[in-house]
Amino acid sequence: MTKLSVNINKLATLRNARGGNVPNLVKAVKDIESFGAEGITVHPRPDQRHIRYQDIHDLKDVVGTEFNIEGNPIPKFIDLVLSAKPAQVTLVPDAEEAITSNAGWDTIKHKDFLKDVIATFKEHGIRTSIFVDPEVSMVEGAAKVGTDRIELYTESYAIGYPKNPEKALQPFIKAAVVAKELALGLNAGHDLNLDNIAYFKKHVPHLLEVSIGHALICESIYLGLDNVINMYKNRLRE
Ligand SMILES: CC(=O)[C@@H](O)[C@H](O)COP(=O)(O)O
Ligand SMILES: NCC(=O)COP(=O)(O)O
């Protein structure tokens, strides 16, 4: 079964836009989980443009499903995650000024750093995942740093899907097969949406979790949050 983890970054963007506390993230998380989400994902960036560090403290005892905290493992991020003790931490090599996540880890170049960071989180009982491009060499490098899971960065699939779904998906199928052979759990995310998720789920084996945020929140403006969450879940069950 592939779990749906809802990324609430863009609810925080909306909240911050007016300087108040609407939408209230605590209420939103409770509602999103009641609608059927199987996880909550947040990505506190260094500039706290949407999810703030305080949000993590406010949400850590509210999330009743799986809490997944994503981010670049700078020291203050590591301290934040260790204090929150989420179900999962996903390491993302974001440049601070990046408008969004735009690359997976070079798990060969950063092997020693990733080994140390992952060991720290695992010592504290936190499941680890690292954000990687769908490249076999990067998946093999991920296995060598001791991570529990990888998250395949799906932007290239989202871009290629409308033109040639089969071609866009090939690297992800290969990466998924290798991940299984190396006993790595498989997550995926970035730019997945209601149009492209079913084909991805149908053809990529061993997929444990997808984390979806930007498209899901935008689709919910038209179709409603409860309805959209269940539309994703139905597509993940096909
Ligand atoms: C790692 C990834 O692709 C997303 O989880 C990321 O959280 C999106 O970040 P923004 O919501 O800031 O675009
Ligand atoms: N890890 C991907 C994620 O959490 C959400 O990415 P997106 O759907 O906002 O592109």
Side-chain angles (χ1 to χ4, degrees), residues 185-219:
L186 183 67
N187 296 346
H190 200 90
D191 282 341
L192 294 173
N193 60 42
L194 283 173
D195 293 331
N196 65 31
I197 186 66
Y199 189 80
F200 189 89
K201 162 58 183 174
K202 182 176 181 180
H203 297 286
V204 175
H206 321 305
L207 186 58
L208 298 173
E209 175 186 295
V210 290
S211 43
I212 306 175
H214 191 88
L216 187 150
I217 299 300
C218 294
E219 290 153 348

PDB file of all heavy atoms in Angstrom, residues 185-219:
ATOM      1  N   GLY A 185      13.785   1.379   1.487  1.00  0.00           N
ATOM      2  CA  GLY A 185      12.374   1.738   1.337  1.00  0.00           C
ATOM      3  C   GLY A 185      12.258   2.837   0.302  1.00  0.00           C
ATOM      4  O   GLY A 185      13.197   3.632   0.118  1.00  0.00           O
ATOM      5  N   LEU A 186      11.108   2.898  -0.390  1.00  0.00           N
ATOM      6  CA  LEU A 186      10.952   3.843  -1.485  1.00  0.00           C
ATOM      7  C   LEU A 186       9.823   4.834  -1.261  1.00  0.00           C
ATOM      8  O   LEU A 186       8.668   4.450  -1.108  1.00  0.00           O
ATOM      9  CB  LEU A 186      10.692   3.087  -2.800  1.00  0.00           C
ATOM     10  CG  LEU A 186      10.570   3.962  -4.039  1.00  0.00           C
ATOM     11  CD1 LEU A 186      11.905   4.641  -4.375  1.00  0.00           C
ATOM     12  CD2 LEU A 186      10.075   3.149  -5.229  1.00  0.00           C
ATOM     13  N   ASN A 187      10.180   6.113  -1.219  1.00  0.00           N
ATOM     14  CA  ASN A 187       9.224   7.222  -1.212  1.00  0.00           C
ATOM     15  C   ASN A 187       9.404   8.002  -2.515  1.00  0.00           C
ATOM     16  O   ASN A 187      10.396   7.812  -3.233  1.00  0.00           O
ATOM     17  CB  ASN A 187       9.487   8.164  -0.027  1.00  0.00           C
ATOM     18  CG  ASN A 187       9.286   7.493   1.328  1.00  0.00           C
ATOM     19  OD1 ASN A 187       8.714   6.405   1.424  1.00  0.00           O
ATOM     20  ND2 ASN A 187       9.762   8.146   2.393  1.00  0.00           N
ATOM     21  N   ALA A 188       8.480   8.903  -2.788  1.00  0.00           N
ATOM     22  CA  ALA A 188       8.602   9.749  -3.985  1.00  0.00           C
ATOM     23  C   ALA A 188       7.860  11.051  -3.742  1.00  0.00           C
ATOM     24  O   ALA A 188       6.895  11.098  -2.962  1.00  0.00           O
ATOM     25  CB  ALA A 188       8.045   9.037  -5.225  1.00  0.00           C
ATOM     26  N   GLY A 189       8.328  12.114  -4.431  1.00  0.00           N
ATOM     27  CA  GLY A 189       7.624  13.385  -4.294  1.00  0.00           C
ATOM     28  C   GLY A 189       8.248  14.497  -5.093  1.00  0.00           C
ATOM     29  O   GLY A 189       9.399  14.415  -5.506  1.00  0.00           O
ATOM     30  N   HIS A 190       7.480  15.498  -5.293  1.00  0.00           N
ATOM     31  CA  HIS A 190       7.737  16.789  -5.945  1.00  0.00           C
ATOM     32  C   HIS A 190       7.021  16.886  -7.293  1.00  0.00           C
ATOM     33  O   HIS A 190       7.315  16.167  -8.230  1.00  0.00           O
ATOM     34  CB  HIS A 190       9.207  17.139  -6.111  1.00  0.00           C
ATOM     35  CG  HIS A 190       9.387  18.613  -6.308  1.00  0.00           C
ATOM     36  ND1 HIS A 190       9.577  19.515  -5.274  1.00  0.00           N
ATOM     37  CD2 HIS A 190       9.326  19.357  -7.431  1.00  0.00           C
ATOM     38  CE1 HIS A 190       9.661  20.736  -5.763  1.00  0.00           C
ATOM     39  NE2 HIS A 190       9.504  20.672  -7.063  1.00  0.00           N
ATOM     40  N   ASP A 191       6.045  17.797  -7.329  1.00  0.00           N
ATOM     41  CA  ASP A 191       5.264  18.065  -8.543  1.00  0.00           C
ATOM     42  C   ASP A 191       4.377  16.894  -8.960  1.00  0.00           C
ATOM     43  O   ASP A 191       3.923  16.840 -10.112  1.00  0.00           O
ATOM     44  CB  ASP A 191       6.146  18.503  -9.706  1.00  0.00           C
ATOM     45  CG  ASP A 191       6.561  19.983  -9.568  1.00  0.00           C
ATOM     46  OD1 ASP A 191       5.892  20.712  -8.806  1.00  0.00           O
ATOM     47  OD2 ASP A 191       7.550  20.380 -10.217  1.00  0.00           O
ATOM     48  N   LEU A 192       4.097  15.984  -8.046  1.00  0.00           N
ATOM     49  CA  LEU A 192       3.076  14.986  -8.352  1.00  0.00           C
ATOM     50  C   LEU A 192       1.714  15.669  -8.260  1.00  0.00           C
ATOM     51  O   LEU A 192       1.543  16.635  -7.484  1.00  0.00           O
ATOM     52  CB  LEU A 192       3.176  13.815  -7.388  1.00  0.00           C
ATOM     53  CG  LEU A 192       4.466  12.982  -7.511  1.00  0.00           C
ATOM     54  CD1 LEU A 192       4.558  11.955  -6.393  1.00  0.00           C
ATOM     55  CD2 LEU A 192       4.571  12.300  -8.871  1.00  0.00           C
ATOM     56  N   ASN A 193       0.749  15.188  -9.049  1.00  0.00           N
ATOM     57  CA  ASN A 193      -0.573  15.817  -9.054  1.00  0.00           C
ATOM     58  C   ASN A 193      -1.645  14.811  -9.440  1.00  0.00           C
ATOM     59  O   ASN A 193      -1.339  13.644  -9.740  1.00  0.00           O
ATOM     60  CB  ASN A 193      -0.597  17.038  -9.982  1.00  0.00           C
ATOM     61  CG  ASN A 193      -0.267  16.679 -11.431  1.00  0.00           C
ATOM     62  OD1 ASN A 193      -0.731  15.671 -11.945  1.00  0.00           O
ATOM     63  ND2 ASN A 193       0.551  17.518 -12.064  1.00  0.00           N
ATOM     64  N   LEU A 194      -2.904  15.254  -9.471  1.00  0.00           N
ATOM     65  CA  LEU A 194      -4.013  14.330  -9.751  1.00  0.00           C
ATOM     66  C   LEU A 194      -3.923  13.730 -11.155  1.00  0.00           C
ATOM     67  O   LEU A 194      -4.414  12.630 -11.394  1.00  0.00           O
ATOM     68  CB  LEU A 194      -5.361  15.048  -9.570  1.00  0.00           C
ATOM     69  CG  LEU A 194      -5.825  15.266  -8.137  1.00  0.00           C
ATOM     70  CD1 LEU A 194      -7.083  16.134  -8.123  1.00  0.00           C
ATOM     71  CD2 LEU A 194      -6.068  13.942  -7.408  1.00  0.00           C
ATOM     72  N   ASP A 195      -3.290  14.454 -12.079  1.00  0.00           N
ATOM     73  CA  ASP A 195      -3.187  13.943 -13.452  1.00  0.00           C
ATOM     74  C   ASP A 195      -2.110  12.871 -13.593  1.00  0.00           C
ATOM     75  O   ASP A 195      -2.273  11.908 -14.329  1.00  0.00           O
ATOM     76  CB  ASP A 195      -2.872  15.097 -14.418  1.00  0.00           C
ATOM     77  CG  ASP A 195      -4.038  16.082 -14.508  1.00  0.00           C
ATOM     78  OD1 ASP A 195      -5.200  15.650 -14.311  1.00  0.00           O
ATOM     79  OD2 ASP A 195      -3.777  17.277 -14.725  1.00  0.00           O
ATOM     80  N   ASN A 196      -0.977  13.046 -12.887  1.00  0.00           N
ATOM     81  CA  ASN A 196       0.149  12.150 -13.152  1.00  0.00           C
ATOM     82  C   ASN A 196       0.361  11.056 -12.103  1.00  0.00           C
ATOM     83  O   ASN A 196       1.200  10.162 -12.309  1.00  0.00           O
ATOM     84  CB  ASN A 196       1.441  12.968 -13.353  1.00  0.00           C
ATOM     85  CG  ASN A 196       1.881  13.730 -12.106  1.00  0.00           C
ATOM     86  OD1 ASN A 196       1.647  13.290 -10.989  1.00  0.00           O
ATOM     87  ND2 ASN A 196       2.508  14.882 -12.315  1.00  0.00           N
ATOM     88  N   ILE A 197      -0.378  11.109 -11.006  1.00  0.00           N
ATOM     89  CA  ILE A 197      -0.062  10.185  -9.895  1.00  0.00           C
ATOM     90  C   ILE A 197      -0.446   8.729 -10.211  1.00  0.00           C
ATOM     91  O   ILE A 197       0.283   7.795  -9.862  1.00  0.00           O
ATOM     92  CB  ILE A 197      -0.734  10.650  -8.583  1.00  0.00           C
ATOM     93  CG1 ILE A 197      -0.296   9.786  -7.394  1.00  0.00           C
ATOM     94  CG2 ILE A 197      -2.249  10.651  -8.716  1.00  0.00           C
ATOM     95  CD1 ILE A 197       1.163   9.901  -7.020  1.00  0.00           C
ATOM     96  N   ALA A 198      -1.548   8.514 -10.881  1.00  0.00           N
ATOM     97  CA  ALA A 198      -2.022   7.131 -11.095  1.00  0.00           C
ATOM     98  C   ALA A 198      -1.054   6.337 -11.971  1.00  0.00           C
ATOM     99  O   ALA A 198      -0.737   5.176 -11.674  1.00  0.00           O
ATOM    100  CB  ALA A 198      -3.412   7.133 -11.721  1.00  0.00           C
ATOM    101  N   TYR A 199      -0.528   6.962 -13.019  1.00  0.00           N
ATOM    102  CA  TYR A 199       0.413   6.269 -13.912  1.00  0.00           C
ATOM    103  C   TYR A 199       1.701   5.944 -13.175  1.00  0.00           C
ATOM    104  O   TYR A 199       2.255   4.843 -13.323  1.00  0.00           O
ATOM    105  CB  TYR A 199       0.698   7.155 -15.132  1.00  0.00           C
ATOM    106  CG  TYR A 199       1.485   6.476 -16.230  1.00  0.00           C
ATOM    107  CD1 TYR A 199       0.867   5.615 -17.130  1.00  0.00           C
ATOM    108  CD2 TYR A 199       2.856   6.710 -16.363  1.00  0.00           C
ATOM    109  CE1 TYR A 199       1.597   4.993 -18.143  1.00  0.00           C
ATOM    110  CE2 TYR A 199       3.582   6.111 -17.368  1.00  0.00           C
ATOM    111  CZ  TYR A 199       2.959   5.256 -18.256  1.00  0.00           C
ATOM    112  OH  TYR A 199       3.684   4.639 -19.252  1.00  0.00           O
ATOM    113  N   PHE A 200       2.131   6.882 -12.345  1.00  0.00           N
ATOM    114  CA  PHE A 200       3.357   6.670 -11.557  1.00  0.00           C
ATOM    115  C   PHE A 200       3.148   5.491 -10.603  1.00  0.00           C
ATOM    116  O   PHE A 200       3.945   4.546 -10.568  1.00  0.00           O
ATOM    117  CB  PHE A 200       3.697   7.938 -10.762  1.00  0.00           C
ATOM    118  CG  PHE A 200       5.052   7.903 -10.101  1.00  0.00           C
ATOM    119  CD1 PHE A 200       6.178   8.354 -10.783  1.00  0.00           C
ATOM    120  CD2 PHE A 200       5.210   7.435  -8.803  1.00  0.00           C
ATOM    121  CE1 PHE A 200       7.440   8.326 -10.187  1.00  0.00           C
ATOM    122  CE2 PHE A 200       6.459   7.392  -8.203  1.00  0.00           C
ATOM    123  CZ  PHE A 200       7.570   7.843  -8.895  1.00  0.00           C
ATOM    124  N   LYS A 201       2.054   5.525  -9.874  1.00  0.00           N
ATOM    125  CA  LYS A 201       1.779   4.471  -8.908  1.00  0.00           C
ATOM    126  C   LYS A 201       1.646   3.103  -9.596  1.00  0.00           C
ATOM    127  O   LYS A 201       2.145   2.085  -9.105  1.00  0.00           O
ATOM    128  CB  LYS A 201       0.483   4.800  -8.148  1.00  0.00           C
ATOM    129  CG  LYS A 201      -0.183   3.648  -7.416  1.00  0.00           C
ATOM    130  CD  LYS A 201       0.698   2.983  -6.384  1.00  0.00           C
ATOM    131  CE  LYS A 201      -0.019   1.800  -5.746  1.00  0.00           C
ATOM    132  NZ  LYS A 201       0.865   1.036  -4.825  1.00  0.00           N
ATOM    133  N   LYS A 202       1.005   3.099 -10.766  1.00  0.00           N
ATOM    134  CA  LYS A 202       0.744   1.817 -11.453  1.00  0.00           C
ATOM    135  C   LYS A 202       2.033   1.131 -11.879  1.00  0.00           C
ATOM    136  O   LYS A 202       2.137  -0.104 -11.849  1.00  0.00           O
ATOM    137  CB  LYS A 202      -0.142   2.073 -12.682  1.00  0.00           C
ATOM    138  CG  LYS A 202      -0.520   0.817 -13.450  1.00  0.00           C
ATOM    139  CD  LYS A 202      -1.473   1.114 -14.595  1.00  0.00           C
ATOM    140  CE  LYS A 202      -1.849  -0.176 -15.337  1.00  0.00           C
ATOM    141  NZ  LYS A 202      -2.794   0.101 -16.469  1.00  0.00           N
ATOM    142  N   HIS A 203       3.039   1.924 -12.258  1.00  0.00           N
ATOM    143  CA  HIS A 203       4.225   1.341 -12.903  1.00  0.00           C
ATOM    144  C   HIS A 203       5.493   1.344 -12.051  1.00  0.00           C
ATOM    145  O   HIS A 203       6.459   0.686 -12.416  1.00  0.00           O
ATOM    146  CB  HIS A 203       4.498   2.066 -14.217  1.00  0.00           C
ATOM    147  CG  HIS A 203       3.398   1.907 -15.223  1.00  0.00           C
ATOM    148  ND1 HIS A 203       3.179   0.728 -15.917  1.00  0.00           N
ATOM    149  CD2 HIS A 203       2.422   2.759 -15.632  1.00  0.00           C
ATOM    150  CE1 HIS A 203       2.139   0.867 -16.711  1.00  0.00           C
ATOM    151  NE2 HIS A 203       1.648   2.084 -16.551  1.00  0.00           N
ATOM    152  N   VAL A 204       5.485   2.098 -10.949  1.00  0.00           N
ATOM    153  CA  VAL A 204       6.697   2.129 -10.100  1.00  0.00           C
ATOM    154  C   VAL A 204       6.485   1.167  -8.935  1.00  0.00           C
ATOM    155  O   VAL A 204       5.608   1.381  -8.108  1.00  0.00           O
ATOM    156  CB  VAL A 204       6.977   3.558  -9.580  1.00  0.00           C
ATOM    157  CG1 VAL A 204       8.159   3.562  -8.609  1.00  0.00           C
ATOM    158  CG2 VAL A 204       7.265   4.490 -10.758  1.00  0.00           C
ATOM    159  N   PRO A 205       7.274   0.093  -8.871  1.00  0.00           N
ATOM    160  CA  PRO A 205       7.061  -0.925  -7.846  1.00  0.00           C
ATOM    161  C   PRO A 205       7.597  -0.515  -6.478  1.00  0.00           C
ATOM    162  O   PRO A 205       8.443   0.386  -6.366  1.00  0.00           O
ATOM    163  CB  PRO A 205       7.874  -2.116  -8.388  1.00  0.00           C
ATOM    164  CG  PRO A 205       8.969  -1.494  -9.191  1.00  0.00           C
ATOM    165  CD  PRO A 205       8.380  -0.240  -9.793  1.00  0.00           C
ATOM    166  N   HIS A 206       7.038  -1.138  -5.448  1.00  0.00           N
ATOM    167  CA  HIS A 206       7.549  -1.025  -4.062  1.00  0.00           C
ATOM    168  C   HIS A 206       7.421   0.373  -3.467  1.00  0.00           C
ATOM    169  O   HIS A 206       8.186   0.720  -2.565  1.00  0.00           O
ATOM    170  CB  HIS A 206       9.028  -1.461  -4.002  1.00  0.00           C
ATOM    171  CG  HIS A 206       9.376  -2.640  -4.851  1.00  0.00           C
ATOM    172  ND1 HIS A 206       8.712  -3.853  -4.754  1.00  0.00           N
ATOM    173  CD2 HIS A 206      10.297  -2.792  -5.850  1.00  0.00           C
ATOM    174  CE1 HIS A 206       9.239  -4.691  -5.640  1.00  0.00           C
ATOM    175  NE2 HIS A 206      10.185  -4.084  -6.308  1.00  0.00           N
ATOM    176  N   LEU A 207       6.462   1.147  -3.962  1.00  0.00           N
ATOM    177  CA  LEU A 207       6.327   2.548  -3.524  1.00  0.00           C
ATOM    178  C   LEU A 207       5.595   2.606  -2.176  1.00  0.00           C
ATOM    179  O   LEU A 207       4.419   2.257  -2.085  1.00  0.00           O
ATOM    180  CB  LEU A 207       5.555   3.328  -4.584  1.00  0.00           C
ATOM    181  CG  LEU A 207       5.425   4.837  -4.412  1.00  0.00           C
ATOM    182  CD1 LEU A 207       6.792   5.527  -4.337  1.00  0.00           C
ATOM    183  CD2 LEU A 207       4.596   5.421  -5.558  1.00  0.00           C
ATOM    184  N   LEU A 208       6.284   3.062  -1.126  1.00  0.00           N
ATOM    185  CA  LEU A 208       5.718   3.062   0.221  1.00  0.00           C
ATOM    186  C   LEU A 208       4.950   4.347   0.537  1.00  0.00           C
ATOM    187  O   LEU A 208       3.973   4.322   1.290  1.00  0.00           O
ATOM    188  CB  LEU A 208       6.845   2.884   1.260  1.00  0.00           C
ATOM    189  CG  LEU A 208       7.632   1.579   1.191  1.00  0.00           C
ATOM    190  CD1 LEU A 208       8.803   1.633   2.174  1.00  0.00           C
ATOM    191  CD2 LEU A 208       6.722   0.386   1.486  1.00  0.00           C
ATOM    192  N   GLU A 209       5.433   5.469   0.000  1.00  0.00           N
ATOM    193  CA  GLU A 209       4.846   6.775   0.371  1.00  0.00           C
ATOM    194  C   GLU A 209       5.070   7.797  -0.719  1.00  0.00           C
ATOM    195  O   GLU A 209       6.149   7.821  -1.339  1.00  0.00           O
ATOM    196  CB  GLU A 209       5.520   7.258   1.652  1.00  0.00           C
ATOM    197  CG  GLU A 209       5.146   8.657   2.136  1.00  0.00           C
ATOM    198  CD  GLU A 209       5.996   9.080   3.337  1.00  0.00           C
ATOM    199  OE1 GLU A 209       5.894   8.453   4.398  1.00  0.00           O
ATOM    200  OE2 GLU A 209       6.803  10.024   3.180  1.00  0.00           O
ATOM    201  N   VAL A 210       4.043   8.599  -0.965  1.00  0.00           N
ATOM    202  CA  VAL A 210       4.222   9.801  -1.773  1.00  0.00           C
ATOM    203  C   VAL A 210       3.894  10.995  -0.889  1.00  0.00           C
ATOM    204  O   VAL A 210       2.938  10.942  -0.102  1.00  0.00           O
ATOM    205  CB  VAL A 210       3.350   9.798  -3.041  1.00  0.00           C
ATOM    206  CG1 VAL A 210       3.851   8.765  -4.045  1.00  0.00           C
ATOM    207  CG2 VAL A 210       1.886   9.560  -2.741  1.00  0.00           C
ATOM    208  N   SER A 211       4.679  12.037  -1.001  1.00  0.00           N
ATOM    209  CA  SER A 211       4.375  13.285  -0.302  1.00  0.00           C
ATOM    210  C   SER A 211       4.039  14.330  -1.354  1.00  0.00           C
ATOM    211  O   SER A 211       4.801  14.549  -2.297  1.00  0.00           O
ATOM    212  CB  SER A 211       5.541  13.739   0.582  1.00  0.00           C
ATOM    213  OG  SER A 211       6.784  13.609  -0.063  1.00  0.00           O
ATOM    214  N   ILE A 212       2.858  14.911  -1.178  1.00  0.00           N
ATOM    215  CA  ILE A 212       2.306  15.817  -2.189  1.00  0.00           C
ATOM    216  C   ILE A 212       1.791  17.077  -1.500  1.00  0.00           C
ATOM    217  O   ILE A 212       1.084  16.991  -0.501  1.00  0.00           O
ATOM    218  CB  ILE A 212       1.174  15.144  -2.984  1.00  0.00           C
ATOM    219  CG1 ILE A 212       1.664  13.816  -3.586  1.00  0.00           C
ATOM    220  CG2 ILE A 212       0.665  16.079  -4.090  1.00  0.00           C
ATOM    221  CD1 ILE A 212       0.599  13.013  -4.293  1.00  0.00           C
ATOM    222  N   GLY A 213       2.153  18.228  -2.036  1.00  0.00           N
ATOM    223  CA  GLY A 213       1.737  19.465  -1.394  1.00  0.00           C
ATOM    224  C   GLY A 213       1.235  20.522  -2.348  1.00  0.00           C
ATOM    225  O   GLY A 213       0.045  20.840  -2.366  1.00  0.00           O
ATOM    226  N   HIS A 214       2.155  21.049  -3.169  1.00  0.00           N
ATOM    227  CA  HIS A 214       1.776  22.224  -3.970  1.00  0.00           C
ATOM    228  C   HIS A 214       0.527  21.968  -4.807  1.00  0.00           C
ATOM    229  O   HIS A 214      -0.462  22.696  -4.726  1.00  0.00           O
ATOM    230  CB  HIS A 214       2.944  22.643  -4.870  1.00  0.00           C
ATOM    231  CG  HIS A 214       2.711  23.974  -5.509  1.00  0.00           C
ATOM    232  ND1 HIS A 214       3.060  25.157  -4.911  1.00  0.00           N
ATOM    233  CD2 HIS A 214       2.128  24.285  -6.693  1.00  0.00           C
ATOM    234  CE1 HIS A 214       2.710  26.155  -5.707  1.00  0.00           C
ATOM    235  NE2 HIS A 214       2.144  25.664  -6.795  1.00  0.00           N
ATOM    236  N   ALA A 215       0.557  20.926  -5.634  1.00  0.00           N
ATOM    237  CA  ALA A 215      -0.598  20.646  -6.501  1.00  0.00           C
ATOM    238  C   ALA A 215      -1.843  20.326  -5.668  1.00  0.00           C
ATOM    239  O   ALA A 215      -2.946  20.804  -5.977  1.00  0.00           O
ATOM    240  CB  ALA A 215      -0.286  19.482  -7.435  1.00  0.00           C
ATOM    241  N   LEU A 216      -1.681  19.554  -4.619  1.00  0.00           N
ATOM    242  CA  LEU A 216      -2.833  19.141  -3.802  1.00  0.00           C
ATOM    243  C   LEU A 216      -3.550  20.345  -3.216  1.00  0.00           C
ATOM    244  O   LEU A 216      -4.796  20.431  -3.260  1.00  0.00           O
ATOM    245  CB  LEU A 216      -2.354  18.189  -2.700  1.00  0.00           C
ATOM    246  CG  LEU A 216      -3.397  17.509  -1.827  1.00  0.00           C
ATOM    247  CD1 LEU A 216      -2.902  16.138  -1.346  1.00  0.00           C
ATOM    248  CD2 LEU A 216      -3.806  18.354  -0.621  1.00  0.00           C
ATOM    249  N   ILE A 217      -2.798  21.295  -2.690  1.00  0.00           N
ATOM    250  CA  ILE A 217      -3.431  22.488  -2.104  1.00  0.00           C
ATOM    251  C   ILE A 217      -4.090  23.321  -3.205  1.00  0.00           C
ATOM    252  O   ILE A 217      -5.224  23.802  -3.052  1.00  0.00           O
ATOM    253  CB  ILE A 217      -2.407  23.311  -1.309  1.00  0.00           C
ATOM    254  CG1 ILE A 217      -1.811  22.483  -0.152  1.00  0.00           C
ATOM    255  CG2 ILE A 217      -3.037  24.618  -0.800  1.00  0.00           C
ATOM    256  CD1 ILE A 217      -2.814  21.987   0.883  1.00  0.00           C
ATOM    257  N   CYS A 218      -3.419  23.445  -4.350  1.00  0.00           N
ATOM    258  CA  CYS A 218      -4.017  24.219  -5.458  1.00  0.00           C
ATOM    259  C   CYS A 218      -5.284  23.538  -5.979  1.00  0.00           C
ATOM    260  O   CYS A 218      -6.307  24.195  -6.212  1.00  0.00           O
ATOM    261  CB  CYS A 218      -3.008  24.386  -6.586  1.00  0.00           C
ATOM    262  SG  CYS A 218      -1.597  25.394  -6.129  1.00  0.00           S
ATOM    263  N   GLU A 219      -5.245  22.220  -6.142  1.00  0.00           N
ATOM    264  CA  GLU A 219      -6.434  21.483  -6.619  1.00  0.00           C
ATOM    265  C   GLU A 219      -7.582  21.601  -5.630  1.00  0.00           C
ATOM    266  O   GLU A 219      -8.753  21.652  -5.996  1.00  0.00           O
ATOM    267  CB  GLU A 219      -6.046  20.014  -6.845  1.00  0.00           C
ATOM    268  CG  GLU A 219      -5.111  19.794  -8.030  1.00  0.00           C
ATOM    269  CD  GLU A 219      -4.238  18.551  -7.884  1.00  0.00           C
ATOM    270  OE1 GLU A 219      -4.176  17.963  -6.761  1.00  0.00           O
ATOM    271  OE2 GLU A 219      -3.599  18.171  -8.878  1.00  0.00           O
TER     272      GLU A 219
END
